[in-house]
Amino acid sequence: MTLACYACDPAQSRGRHYPQAPAPTRSEYQRDRDRIVHSTAFRRLVYKTQVFVNHEGDLFRTRLTHSLEVAQLGRSVARSLQLNEDLVEAIALAHDLGHTPFGHAGQDALNDCMRTFGGFEHNLQSLRVVDHLEERYPQFDGLNLSFETREGILKHCSRSHAQALALKEPGGVSQRFLDGTQPSLEAQLCNLADEIAYNAHDIDDGVRSGLITLEQLEDVPLFDDFRREALAEYPLLQDAAQGRRLLYEATRRMLTAQVYDVINATTAALRAAAPTSVDAVRQLPPLLQFGPAMRLQSQALKTFLLHQLYRHPQVMQTMDQAQRIVHELFSAYLEQPQEMGEGFMARAQAARDAVDARSSGARVVADYIAGMTDRFAAREHERLTGVKLL
Ligand code: MG
């Protein structure tokens, strides 16, 4: 496949922290993707949730299926823009590796626990997973991924965290948050593919769970226009028994429209800015984008989902319990590090001798909890407190 001059070329990669000889049959980004797929953190994504807790139903999205959907959407846009599909796939599959159990509720709770110890951000944690926490190689910790994959994984980062990272890796993946520059187009694409994917699958999961209805969605033009279009073309979908097919047909049309909108808007932006290299892309404003109308419509859908689904009393009730689990696990392990898994117990012991013993110890606990699946966290909580919450 021909790559555009503004795409990431694996032959021009800024390389890995620990230099390694090239693989005979795979490009550097294909190699990154394969390392991610074989990682422990990737396998755990199947038991981590986005909106619904894993045991609430077998058909709801998990972080694994979400990541696969992001990779699919990202690759199809990448192909038509002549971007590097392999890099997009690697970033998409890794983008949620640092997520805690119980979705955003878990992350908020852990961030709260870590408030005086440097906080907790899931994007930063995804980078920690691939840089440090995976233990698969005799020569180094982490997966030793290439710069461009790591750059895409670190999607957001606060200034203070960026400064701390830049001390360890001068001019590295956190530098752009200090300079106000952009990542590669492949990384920008993964952010947008993430948004397109969860907007669509949260409608799907939300309707199938019964927490939101197709009638409520009539207030959301991005969805409702396609629902009407589908009904006009297939009047048999009026039948209440066809509700599921109507939902899928409208969602499919919405996804397609968003993909084409991104391709068209980005093609126009690329034509206007005419970058001739990845480094030129990094100096420009974000080029991977929705057109203005779609941007507003996508925002309206996000707002709808926030109020009607993510803050639905039933979701909130589960998430309150999830937050309690995270808080209580954190306190329990901080007091009794011997209750953590073997490797973490050893790290907690080593942390006692560190200059910043308290925050190093807390970071070990945060790493341990962040790696948990929903059900393991719930089970551990019950084991340590005697209280069954989820
Ligand atoms: Mg995501």
Side-chain angles (χ1 to χ4, degrees):
M1 196 190 86
T2 328
L3 286 178
C5 57
Y6 41 73
C8 282
D9 177 354
Q12 306 292 322
S13 170
R14 283 171 64 179
R16 303 174 190 280
H17 186 70
Y18 303 95
Q20 290 185 286
T25 57
R26 295 173 297 163
S27 79
E28 295 306 320
Y29 305 142
Q30 288 171 342
R31 214 173 174 192
D32 284 353
R33 184 235 8 241
D34 297 349
R35 288 178 183 197
I36 290 159
V37 169
H38 288 276
S39 69
T40 308
F42 185 72
R43 276 197 303 285
R44 289 191 185 129
L45 293 178
V46 72
Y47 296 114
K48 292 195 181 198
T49 42
Q50 296 272 112
V51 178
F52 297 90
V53 170
N54 192 253
H55 68 234
E56 288 178 307
D58 288 345
L59 293 179
F60 297 129
R61 263 62 171 195
T62 67
R63 294 235 171 246
L64 181 67
T65 53
H66 163 71
S67 301
L68 295 174
E69 291 180 31
V70 175
Q72 181 277 318
L73 288 165
R75 287 185 60 169
S76 80
V77 175
R79 205 171 307 135
S80 82
L81 294 175
Q82 292 184 297
L83 298 177
N84 195 307
E85 265 187 75
D86 298 321
L87 177 58
V88 168
E89 188 180 18
I91 297 170
L93 295 180
H95 85 282
D96 272 352
L97 289 181
H99 259 289
T100 60
F102 312 125
H104 287 280
Q107 119 115 11
D108 291 347
L110 198 51
N111 187 29
D112 205 34
C113 296
M114 290 295 288
R115 192 171 303 279
T116 52
F117 306 114
F120 180 90
E121 289 179 18
H122 69 264
N123 291 296
L124 207 59
Q125 191 68 11
S126 297
L127 189 68
R128 263 179 86 67
V129 167
V130 301
D131 281 357
H132 303 290
L133 297 176
E134 281 288 322
E135 296 176 325
R136 313 188 70 79
Y137 292 88
Q139 319 93 301
F140 46 75
D141 283 340
L143 302 176
N144 194 31
L145 302 181
S146 59
F147 176 89
E148 295 75 20
T149 303
R150 296 175 57 245
E151 171 190 53
I153 291 173
L154 190 61
K155 168 164 105 171
H156 300 294
C157 183
S158 66
R159 196 169 172 83
S160 59
H161 282 140
Q163 281 164 336
L165 275 177
L167 286 178
K168 291 184 219 153
E169 187 190 356
V173 289
S174 74
Q175 190 63 40
R176 71 182 171 91
F177 299 99
L178 303 173
D179 298 345
T181 55
Q182 302 304 315
S184 70
L185 289 167
E186 285 82 355
Q188 295 180 31
L189 170 53
C190 286
N191 290 345
L192 215 51
D194 190 20
E195 179 178 332
I196 296 174
Y198 65 67
N199 276 344
H201 64 53
D202 289 349
I203 290 182
D204 183 8
D205 285 351
V207 172
R208 286 185 304 107
S209 68
L211 297 185
I212 53 177
T213 61
L214 281 174
E215 290 69 49
Q216 277 177 299
L217 280 160
E218 286 173 16
D219 299 334
V220 182
L222 180 55
F223 182 84
D224 199 54
D225 291 352
F226 296 110
R227 186 188 64 89
R228 286 164 195 273
E229 198 185 272
L231 280 174
E233 200 173 327
Y234 300 102
L236 64 89
L237 294 178
Q238 294 278 9
D239 186 346
Q242 301 294 329
R244 189 75 47 102
R245 281 182 206 258
L246 176 59
L247 172 65
Y248 289 142
E249 184 58 24
T251 311
R252 173 168 32 249
R253 286 168 188 241
M254 183 180 90
L255 274 175
T256 307
Q258 288 178 290
V259 164
Y260 286 125
D261 185 85
V262 170
I263 292 171
N264 292 334
T266 305
T267 303
L270 283 166
R271 204 169 290 147
T276 52
S277 68
V278 189
D279 281 327
V281 165
R282 291 189 173 108
Q283 300 304 320
L284 289 162
L287 296 175
L288 214 305
Q289 52 188 269
F290 280 132
M294 187 61 87
R295 165 69 25 228
L296 287 176
Q297 288 203 320
S298 172
Q299 198 51 53
L301 171 54
K302 277 165 110 166
T303 308
F304 170 86
L305 287 170
L306 175 69
H307 294 295
Q308 307 302 328
L309 182 61
Y310 311 145
R311 291 192 186 152
H312 189 287
Q314 207 172 311
V315 173
M316 294 293 279
Q317 198 193 353
T318 309
M319 291 309 165
D320 282 348
Q321 291 179 319
Q323 295 207 327
R324 188 175 150 199
I325 290 178
V326 170
H327 274 284
E328 294 182 358
L329 279 179
F330 188 83
S331 317
Y333 293 130
L334 210 54
E335 271 173 44
Q336 313 162 67
Q338 71 279 8
E339 295 294 342
M340 292 191 287
E342 224 175 292
F344 287 89
M345 202 173 80
R347 275 184 56 205
Q349 255 151 16
R352 281 188 202 154
D353 305 324
V355 202
D356 50 349
R358 269 176 58 75
S359 64
S360 302
R363 185 60 61 190
V364 177
V365 174
D367 285 341
Y368 188 54
I369 294 176
M372 291 180 178
T373 61
D374 296 359
R375 59 184 187 175
F376 182 69
R379 250 191 270 140
E380 273 291 279
H381 177 267
E382 190 182 351
R383 180 179 75 81
L384 291 166
T385 65
V387 181
K388 184 175 166 59
L389 287 180
L390 286 175

